[in-house]
């Protein structure tokens, strides 16, 4: 299930970049890509929940990873919505980068993930 989880967030990141690019160009399919991205948010949460469900216990750092992962999803959504409204997104981009780095580090550091940092 870890591979499915990683695949969903990689696809979501690609869709996020495409949605941002479409918004910048005023493309007519921006809304469709944004809705597809929202579907992938659900896939990310579902596969993450499945991974947690398969564990016998929930160590504290996994709970932190869940919270930071939801923070990443929230900032992605807020960036897209505020960009569409023409509002400033500098703080949200900073939050997104920080949260994304933290969630990647936790995902690769914790024993249930891949061992890049272990």
């Amino acid at each position: 299930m870890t591979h499915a989880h990683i695949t969903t967030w990689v696809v979501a990141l690609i869709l996020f970049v495409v949605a941002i690019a479409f918004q910048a160009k005023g493309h007519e399919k921006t809304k469709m890509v944004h809705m597809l991205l929202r579907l992938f948010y659900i896939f990310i949460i579902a596969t993450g929940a499945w991974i947690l469900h398969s564990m016998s216990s929930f160590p504290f750092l996994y709970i932190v990873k869940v919270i930071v992962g939801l923070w990443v999803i929230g900032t992605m959504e807020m960036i897209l919505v505020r960009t569409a409204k023409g509002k400033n997104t500098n703080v949200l981009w900073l939050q997104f980068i920080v949260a994304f780095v933290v969630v990647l580090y936790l995902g690769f550091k914790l024993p249930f993930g891949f061992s890049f940092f272990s």
Side-chain angles (χ1 to χ4, degrees):
M1 187 50 65
T2 304
H3 294 299
H5 186 64
I6 292 171
T7 302
T8 57
W9 60 255
V10 167
V11 171
L13 282 175
I14 292 168
L15 287 171
F16 178 66
V17 170
V18 168
I20 291 291
F22 277 10
Q23 277 184 348
K25 293 181 181 179
H27 200 279
E28 61 188 31
K29 297 198 178 194
T30 303
K31 190 164 192 146
M32 181 188 67
V33 173
H34 192 173
M35 292 304 289
L36 188 59
L37 177 59
R38 288 176 176 160
L39 178 64
F40 271 86
Y41 294 156
I42 294 169
F43 291 158
I44 291 169
I45 292 169
T47 56
W50 189 323
I51 290 170
L52 274 179
H53 178 66
S54 68
M55 297 172 61
S56 58
S57 67
F58 303 133
F60 176 73
L61 284 179
Y62 281 102
I63 303 302
V64 171
K65 183 178 181 289
V66 168
I67 293 168
V68 176
L70 291 172
W71 182 22
V72 169
I73 290 172
T75 56
M76 288 169 68
E77 182 65 19
M78 287 188 290
I79 287 169
L80 285 171
V81 170
R82 289 182 64 96
T83 301
K85 292 181 178 181
K87 295 184 178 179
N88 188 1
T89 58
N90 292 338
V91 173
L92 292 173
W93 277 107
L94 180 63
Q95 286 184 32
F96 171 73
I97 292 167
V98 168
F100 188 71
V101 168
V102 169
V103 83
L104 274 181
Y105 176 76
L106 288 174
F108 290 131
K109 177 71 176 160
L110 292 170
F112 206 65
F114 292 107
S115 354
F116 286 141
F117 300 122
S118 298

